């Protein structure tokens, strides 16, 4: 005969409405054992029916009541739980972590990109790993040239899909050939990105730093265009009137080439006194060498152009008056939080 003690034990430990539904189906549902027990009564004698009817009705009353109570209990529990999750305790103390902000380098890079975009430049990032052809030969630096030594190169074990050994680009100029081939001429494009060199680190040199390469190719481009555009770019990025000076310089991929220095000043925030004032080299530029254009499939008799490379880490140092470019990447939170 049906005994309700076992189901009563079961219902006691039920924790969820899903389990409770299973319980209901097991005993009280259409195929439930209690429901079936009622059906089986048809085969009993009138005497037995009377007896069984009493036991089963009592069991049904007890289990149905326990079931109803449990439904209440669990539903209320669920509602409370949901309310609890939604609760905002305004008396709690502010959480101890703070939301960070972009690093100064990222800030300067993004702003430089915006300035360049507004001046009609295409932005490309290229790749950090490049072939020796891209990094050196395509910009007129033969592999035997001392410049390949000067920018002590970091070599990778990996090769490109054609099996060419890869290096970490030592200069964003490595993307010039790629850009000309990809977009054709006339072209106005910039490549902001990281470059890597095996350097002796000091306040103005790091093994990884950010450059922004610019390249302009069209018919009739002269050094006057270069000078004008570079001055416009620099003052927009530095957001202050900085004094600049141009010096002649040699780079194998430009002719003539020049370097641009910016006045680098540090002021004591307390006294307002200038504690440092010197020239810092922040940009290199020049008229693109005919060989570079030829290597990229452009006729130098028809087209000319200029290229420039900005040293973004140094520009950020000039803009924010920071003494040592290693602060940008050394992860010191005292530095990061002071901006
Ligand atoms: N790629 C050179 C370097 O990293 C910088 C440079 C010089 C870039 C002259 C240029 C340029 O585009 O015209 O040392």
């Amino acid at each position: 005969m049906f005994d309700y003690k076992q189901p009563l034990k079961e219902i006691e430990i039920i924790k969820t409405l899903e389990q409770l539904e299973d319980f209901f189906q097991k005993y009280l549902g259409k195929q439930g054992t209690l429901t079936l027990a009622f059906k089986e009564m048809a085969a009993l004698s009138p005497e037995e029916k009377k007896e069984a009817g009493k036991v089963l009705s009592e069991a049904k009353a007890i289990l149905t009541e326990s079931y109803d109570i449990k439904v209440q209990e669990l539903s209320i529990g669920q509602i409370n739980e949901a309310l609890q999750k939604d609760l905002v305790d305004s008396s709690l103390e502010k959480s101890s972590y703070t939301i960070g902000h972009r690093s100064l380098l990222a800030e300067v890079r993004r702003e430089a990109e915006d300035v360049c975009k507004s001046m009609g430049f295409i932005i490309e990032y290229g790749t950090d790993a490049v072939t020796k052809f891209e990094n050196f030969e395509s910009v007129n630096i033969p592999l035997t040239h001392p410049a390949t030594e000067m920018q002590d190169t970091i070599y990778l074990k990996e090769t490109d899909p054609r099996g060419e050994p890869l290096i970490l680009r030592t200069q964003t100029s490595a993307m010039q050939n790629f850009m000309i081939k990809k977009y054709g001429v006339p072209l106005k494009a910039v490549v902001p990105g990281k470059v890597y060199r095996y350097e002796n680190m000091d306040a103005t040199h790091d093994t990884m730093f950010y450059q922004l390469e610019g390249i302009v190719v069209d018919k009739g481009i002269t050094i006057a265009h270069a000078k004008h555009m570079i001055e416009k770019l620099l003052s927009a990025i530095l957001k202050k009137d900085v004094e600049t000076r141009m010096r002649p310089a040699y780079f194998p991929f430009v002719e003539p080439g020049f370097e641009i220095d910016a006045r680098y000043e540090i002021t004591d925030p307390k006294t307002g006194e200038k504690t440092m004032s010197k020239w810092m080299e922040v940009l290199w530029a020049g008229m693109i060498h005919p060989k570079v254009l030829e290597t990229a499939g452009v006729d130098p008799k028809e087209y000319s152009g200029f290229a420039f490379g900005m040293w973004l880490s140094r520009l950020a140092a000039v803009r924010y008056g920071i003494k040592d470019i290693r602060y940008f990447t050394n992860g010191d939170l005292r530095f990061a939080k002071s901006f």
Side-chain angles (χ1 to χ4, degrees):
M1 183 52 67
F2 189 89
D3 185 357
Y4 61 81
K5 288 198 198 72
Q6 175 58 25
L8 264 192
K9 272 191 209 150
E10 282 175 31
I11 202 168
E12 236 167 67
I13 54 169
I14 280 177
K15 295 261 173 350
T16 66
L17 284 168
E18 289 74 35
Q19 288 170 344
L20 190 61
E21 175 61 20
D22 290 345
F23 172 89
F24 184 87
Q25 293 307 335
K26 187 172 168 192
Y27 297 107
L28 301 164
K30 268 192 192 152
Q31 299 299 318
T33 48
L34 184 57
T35 315
L36 293 179
F38 271 109
K39 283 187 185 151
E40 281 158 12
M41 269 171 48
L44 300 178
S45 67
E47 201 53 28
E48 287 168 325
K49 252 188 210 159
K50 209 174 149 198
E51 180 61 18
K54 220 174 111 196
V55 174
L56 292 182
S57 301
E58 191 191 5
K60 186 168 182 181
I62 290 175
L63 291 187
T64 311
E65 194 188 347
S66 313
Y67 171 80
D68 289 344
I69 293 173
K70 199 77 182 181
V71 169
Q72 290 280 335
E73 216 178 275
L74 290 179
S75 317
I76 291 171
Q78 244 180 22
I79 292 168
N80 278 339
E81 210 175 291
L83 282 175
Q84 202 64 35
K85 272 192 202 143
D86 271 357
L87 210 64
V88 175
D89 185 348
S90 54
S91 69
L92 277 179
E93 266 187 45
K94 197 172 143 241
S95 74
S96 61
Y97 67 85
T98 46
I99 296 173
H101 58 82
R102 270 187 225 123
S103 85
L104 295 187
L105 275 185
E107 200 65 38
V108 169
R109 178 177 59 74
R110 278 172 181 242
E111 281 180 20
E113 283 176 18
D114 286 346
V115 170
C116 293
K117 251 188 244 165
S118 73
M119 290 171 79
F121 283 88
I122 298 169
I123 315 263
E124 265 284 342
Y125 297 99
T127 52
D128 289 15
V130 294
T131 59
K132 282 195 258 182
F133 168 77
E134 289 172 301
N135 199 82
F136 299 119
E137 289 173 295
S138 79
V139 279
N140 199 30
I141 308 176
L143 293 181
T144 49
H145 194 282
T148 58
E149 283 294 309
M150 204 165 69
Q151 303 180 347
D152 256 337
T153 310
I154 298 171
Y155 291 84
L156 298 176
K157 283 197 195 115
E158 287 75 12
T159 57
D160 80 351
R162 289 156 305 174
E164 284 287 316
L166 289 171
I167 61 173
L168 288 178
R169 65 182 177 200
T170 63
Q171 49 182 357
T172 39
S173 307
M175 307 322 298
Q176 285 190 10
N177 182 271
F178 166 81
M179 299 291 285
I180 300 176
K181 281 187 186 149
K182 178 167 177 185
Y183 293 102
V185 287
L187 173 68
K188 225 173 143 188
V190 290
V191 184
K194 291 176 189 162
V195 298
Y196 307 81
R197 293 183 195 175
Y198 185 68
E199 286 270 10
N200 267 335
M201 283 155 73
D202 64 26
T204 51
H205 294 87
D206 205 345
T207 50
M208 184 282 288
F209 56 98
Y210 280 82
Q211 286 188 340
L212 182 141
E213 187 79 14
I215 165 162
V216 175
V217 185
D218 206 340
K219 288 180 180 160
I221 295 284
T222 68
I223 203 163
H225 294 114
K227 185 170 183 289
H228 174 74
M229 186 160 275
I230 288 164
E231 276 171 3
K232 278 257 170 310
L233 272 173
L234 270 184
S235 52
I237 293 168
L238 290 170
K239 276 201 185 146
K240 56 181 178 185
D241 287 336
V242 277
E243 230 183 304
T244 54
R245 69 175 185 193
M246 264 172 128
R247 290 179 289 113
Y250 169 74
F251 299 98
F253 38 93
V254 284
E255 180 57 39
F258 39 90
E259 274 168 1
I260 294 187
D261 302 332
R263 184 54 90 186
Y264 178 35
E265 282 173 343
I266 298 195
T267 329
D268 185 321
K270 285 194 198 107
T271 61
E273 202 186 313
K274 272 187 198 139
T275 54
M276 196 185 83
S277 179
K278 64 177 188 184
W279 292 107
M280 173 134 88
E281 194 182 309
V282 290
L283 195 142
W284 316 271
M287 301 308 289
I288 301 176
H289 197 289
K291 270 206 184 143
V292 175
L293 291 174
E294 251 164 30
T295 311
V298 173
D299 182 356
K301 285 191 209 81
E302 209 182 333
Y303 283 93
S304 58
F306 65 89
F308 56 89
M310 289 188 195
W311 196 329
L312 283 180
S313 314
R314 285 193 179 180
L315 278 176
V318 171
R319 176 159 150 191
Y320 293 100
I322 287 150
K323 273 200 212 118
D324 191 325
I325 64 166
R326 288 169 296 185
Y327 277 126
F328 291 130
T329 47
N330 74 359
D332 187 336
L333 282 181
R334 288 169 306 175
F335 174 78
K337 280 183 181 163
S338 59
F339 288 94

